[in-house]
Amino acid sequence: MPVCEVCGNNYERAFTVFMEGREHTFDAFECAIHALAPRCASCGCPVVGHGVQHAERIYCCAQCARRAGVDGLVDHN
């Protein structure tokens, strides 16, 4: 059985994600998010939705971007 790279669980229904030329195996979306989602440059939470971006930095929301000193970004609708 495939083994999740995050939690080590052997699970018959594990799935594989290909990202940036690498193969990853997970047993749950929770583990995939933990391993692959970008982190907000302000609060550190995983950015699962659209988020907002300024230069190379990703933020979970416009409020976090403002807290980091970035003005003019708005949340996606």
Side-chain angles (χ1 to χ4, degrees):
M1 277 190 284
V3 175
C4 177
E5 70 180 58
V6 172
C7 69
N9 188 28
N10 291 349
Y11 185 52
E12 65 187 32
R13 298 184 76 188
F15 58 94
T16 302
V17 174
F18 295 89
M19 184 173 171
E20 298 177 351
R22 295 186 57 212
E23 182 177 322
H24 303 273
T25 302
F26 305 105
D27 69 336
F29 286 113
E30 179 181 9
C31 287
I33 290 167
H34 177 77
L36 301 179
R39 299 285 173 167
C40 177
S42 179
C43 73
C45 78
V47 180
V48 179
H50 294 284
V52 293
Q53 185 170 353
H54 174 55
E56 297 298 317
R57 293 183 168 240
I58 296 174
Y59 302 93
C60 63
C61 63
Q63 176 61 34
C64 271
R66 282 191 292 276
R67 244 184 274 143
V70 178
D71 291 321
L73 294 180
V74 295
D75 291 315
H76 295 280
N77 291 324

